[in-house]
Amino acid sequence: MTRDEITAGLAEILEEVAGVNPDDVAEGKSFTDDLDVDSLSMVEVVVAAEEKFGVKIPDNEVQNLKTVGDAVSYIEAQS
Amino acid sequence: MTGSRILSMGHYQPSRVVTNDDIAQLVETNDEWIRDRVGIVSRRIAGDETVADMAAAAADKALANSGLTATDIDLVVVATCTSIDRSPNVACRVAAKLGINAPGAFDLNTACSGFAYALGTVDHAIRAGASRNALVIGAEKLSDFTDWTDRSTCIIFADGAGAAVVTAAAEDEPVGIGPVVWGSVPERGDAVRIEGWRPYVAQEGQTVFRWATTALAPLALQACERAGVDPAELAAFVPHQANSRIIDGIAKRLNIPQAIIAKDIVESGNTSAASIPLALSKLVERREVPSGAPVLLFGFGGGLTYAGQVVRCP
């Protein structure tokens, strides 16, 4: 799976979980500051990403995923 | 084997209403943030009332609604994790206040899942012949265990009590309290803590949220299966009132579109073991659920304990 494909998959999740406009989702965007994803929505995003990409993202890893790019890199490395 | 059923409910909340704006006077927060993250608009905070005072007030109402008298009660079980007074326990204090003569009387602490644990325990006692008519109470004064300078917790917790009168069911009656599904996650139990000397509630919010919204729905469905109730038939779902978004997250996975989802948290905050009986008592009082209709109760919290069962609405 390419980084663009992972980003597109995350955009779908972000739209469904937190109502984020998919056009706003790009690797440089911060979940909290740019996309307005709060800490609980972030957990929902992570759980949905685990299912969608078949990866494990433990609780202590979630805080390191500041930007969409961080999440893409983590998922890319795990899958 | 004779089962048991909930005969009546009752509840008590302190009169003092504390709004989100009131909390914003104490810590850096605001109404919109609290509504959005937790779903609470206001909560009740006790003044001089003790856990036993609130438990007795709720039990008194449940008893009045039951048609039984204090002398009919032979077992009192109180779920609480916030009683400052340890002995006599809260159950004995309630029995003394209500004039209940020589009941079995004990407290049970599994934090926020306490009411469903207590209900399961009392159902077992009645099935075993150790009781005929029991009081099951959830009562908490979390304000005594809240750090009012910690904005991550002081916006959430509140005080109150709810009570059920549980009685032996006749042989020909349908089972009124389904088999309890209970358990815990000891290795991650410290995600919610009330520890040490002069303890305050502390928690890992994201860990609890993730566990609650992913692990609990299958367990709640197991409680339905064990009771022989199709989730689609549920008239109401009354989970622990921890956080509005946790409630929504679990409910979404249960696929119960026709059930009333209890959201007493909006007006009452998180009252730990008191939250399920408080919410159920209000549903019964407002006649929102028909008598005899199946209701799924599910408690969860500290220790990452959980317990739930399907009950027939009194």
Side-chain angles (χ1 to χ4, degrees):
Chain A
M1 202 175 243
T2 67
R3 291 184 71 88
D4 282 351
E5 286 168 341
I6 297 171
T7 305
L10 284 172
E12 278 175 29
I13 291 170
L14 285 160
E15 184 180 24
E16 195 192 323
V17 168
V20 175
N21 182 344
D23 296 339
D24 293 342
V25 179
E27 288 208 18
K29 295 287 177 70
S30 154
F31 288 111
T32 317
D33 301 336
D34 300 325
L35 304 178
D36 211 20
V37 176
D38 68 33
S39 64
L40 299 186
S41 293
M42 192 60 202
V43 173
E44 294 179 293
V45 169
V46 162
V47 169
E50 285 191 339
E51 284 173 24
K52 192 177 197 94
F53 299 109
V55 296
K56 285 275 169 232
I57 310 174
D59 286 345
N60 54 11
E61 200 58 54
V62 177
Q63 61 199 12
N64 299 329
L65 308 179
K66 306 277 189 223
T67 66
V68 174
D70 293 340
V72 171
S73 298
Y74 186 85
I75 292 165
E76 193 181 31
Q78 296 289 311
S79 53
Chain B
M1 193 189 293
T2 309
S4 68
R5 65 190 172 97
I6 299 176
L7 191 55
S8 61
M9 299 291 304
H11 63 273
Y12 172 85
Q13 289 182 288
S15 58
R16 184 178 162 215
V17 177
V18 174
T19 65
N20 292 342
D21 288 338
D22 294 333
I23 303 264
Q25 305 289 313
L26 305 174
V27 291
E28 180 69 38
T29 190
N30 62 66
D31 180 53
E32 188 194 346
W33 196 95
I34 298 173
R35 284 177 192 242
D36 187 45
R37 304 300 168 97
V38 198
I40 296 171
V41 171
S42 63
R43 74 282 288 143
R44 303 294 185 96
I45 298 295
D48 293 337
E49 302 107 313
T50 63
V51 170
D53 292 334
M54 294 189 283
D60 196 30
K61 286 179 191 159
L63 201 53
N65 291 336
S66 72
L68 300 180
T69 63
T71 50
D72 295 319
I73 300 296
D74 56 28
L75 177 63
V76 181
V77 180
V78 178
T80 186
C81 62
T82 53
S83 179
I84 298 284
D85 303 315
R86 301 307 176 101
S87 186
N89 65 21
V90 179
C92 287
R93 290 169 192 264
V94 169
K97 284 173 195 288
L98 267 51
I100 300 169
N101 185 36
F106 63 93
D107 295 355
L108 178 156
N109 172 9
T110 57
C112 301
S113 62
F115 184 77
Y117 263 90
L119 195 59
T121 302
V122 164
D123 176 51
H124 300 164
I126 290 175
R127 286 172 184 275
S131 168
R132 275 202 71 77
N133 300 304
L135 268 168
V136 184
I137 306 165
E140 301 281 14
K141 191 176 180 183
L142 280 145
S143 59
D144 279 345
F145 292 82
T146 299
D147 178 352
W148 291 98
T149 64
D150 176 3
R151 68 173 177 172
S152 73
T153 55
C154 78
I155 62 170
I156 301 172
F157 297 110
D159 306 329
V165 173
V166 178
T167 190
E171 293 283 353
D172 54 348
E173 274 180 320
V175 170
I177 297 179
V180 67
V181 172
W182 61 20
S184 60
V185 189
E187 66 274 20
R188 282 190 290 152
D190 63 354
V192 185
R193 304 174 297 280
I194 309 178
E195 287 180 334
W197 179 244
R198 195 63 189 96
Y200 293 125
V201 184
Q203 64 175 355
E204 313 304 328
Q206 284 185 314
T207 300
V208 176
F209 183 79
R210 183 171 183 165
W211 169 71
T213 54
T214 56
L216 300 184
L219 296 162
L221 291 173
Q222 203 180 318
C224 295
E225 195 186 331
R226 294 200 59 194
V229 171
D230 181 346
E233 294 168 21
L234 289 173
F237 173 46
V238 185
H240 168 48
Q241 304 287 295
N243 177 314
S244 198
R245 286 165 63 176
I246 289 179
I247 296 170
D248 292 338
I250 300 172
K252 195 173 68 182
R253 286 172 148 82
L254 295 178
N255 203 9
I256 46 170
Q258 71 302 335
I260 293 170
I261 312 294
K263 281 287 187 76
D264 188 45
I265 184 169
V266 176
E267 304 288 331
S268 299
N270 176 343
T271 58
S272 187
S275 81
I276 290 177
L278 258 177
L280 180 60
S281 179
K282 290 179 184 180
L283 285 179
V284 172
E285 189 177 73
R286 294 195 297 259
R287 301 180 194 283
E288 289 184 44
V289 181
S291 180
V295 175
L296 173 62
L297 311 181
F298 207 89
F300 53 90
L304 299 191
T305 59
Y306 57 84
Q309 61 271 93
V310 175
V311 302
R312 297 280 163 185
C313 191

